[in-house]
Amino acid sequence: GVPFESGLLFHGADLVRDGQLVDRFSSWHEGEQLTLRLWWSIERIQLKDYSMGIYVTDGLHTVIEEHTAPLTVSYYPEEPTPPPSTSWWQPGRYYVEERAFTLPANLLSGLYTVKMSVYHWEDGVLLDAPQVDENGLLPIASFGVRAW
């Protein structure tokens, strides 16, 4: 996975439509719901609770959609109740989070990139990781849009 400086490990993102995985060559339409399934683990116990930003960018790297919220586990196979925040996570286990949002209605046909940031909610400072860009964002997925 991609190691963040706190010890969070990001293992990848799946694009999901209607509960089914889709490949990166699938096209989406403006106004359609896009779900990201994000895979996580930790190298060591987290002393803080982290939040994540999801940013959809166009071909010019302009952010056209932004969603920020605490890292919250959607699926956790080892326990009936997922841990409420990253400070409850345990090393050696995988955590799955799903983020769903509606693509803007005014999108043009083209290729779009999903980028992510991880930060501590109290100070908003972005965690560093390999492969982050000059804005502290990590590219995690891309998809095409076919405008009607």
Side-chain angles (χ1 to χ4, degrees):
V2 176
F4 283 85
E5 64 184 303
S6 72
L8 282 168
L9 291 169
F10 176 69
H11 296 283
D14 296 321
L15 296 174
V16 179
R17 178 188 283 136
D18 299 325
Q20 301 295 317
L21 292 180
V22 296
D23 64 41
R24 63 186 178 137
F25 300 109
S26 296
S27 61
W28 301 77
H29 297 289
E30 69 277 18
E32 189 173 8
Q33 181 170 314
L34 179 108
T35 300
L36 290 169
R37 185 173 293 150
L38 308 164
W39 297 84
W40 296 92
S41 69
I42 58 172
E43 293 178 314
R44 58 186 176 274
I45 297 294
Q46 300 297 289
L47 301 177
K48 297 179 179 180
D49 293 320
Y50 291 99
S51 292
M52 178 178 60
I54 295 291
Y55 311 89
V56 178
T57 63
D58 63 15
L60 300 173
H61 305 287
T62 303
V63 174
I64 58 152
E65 188 74 16
E66 177 179 335
H67 299 273
T68 58
L71 269 161
T72 306
V73 176
S74 305
Y75 173 70
Y76 180 65
E78 285 87 1
E79 300 286 335
T81 304
S85 57
T86 55
S87 63
W88 291 60
W89 293 9
Q90 296 296 312
R93 296 183 177 177
Y94 288 97
Y95 300 89
V96 180
E97 177 180 19
E98 287 192 352
R99 297 271 175 124
F101 53 91
T102 302
L103 295 172
N106 59 347
L107 286 183
L108 301 175
S109 293
L111 185 63
Y112 292 81
T113 302
V114 180
K115 298 180 180 183
M116 173 182 71
S117 67
V118 178
Y119 59 94
H120 183 235
W121 62 272
E122 286 183 328
D123 58 21
V125 175
L126 300 180
L127 295 182
D128 193 24
Q131 304 164 13
V132 298
D133 65 17
E134 64 279 358
N135 298 314
L137 304 179
L138 177 68
I140 61 171
S142 59
F143 63 95
V145 168
R146 280 200 186 188
W148 293 107

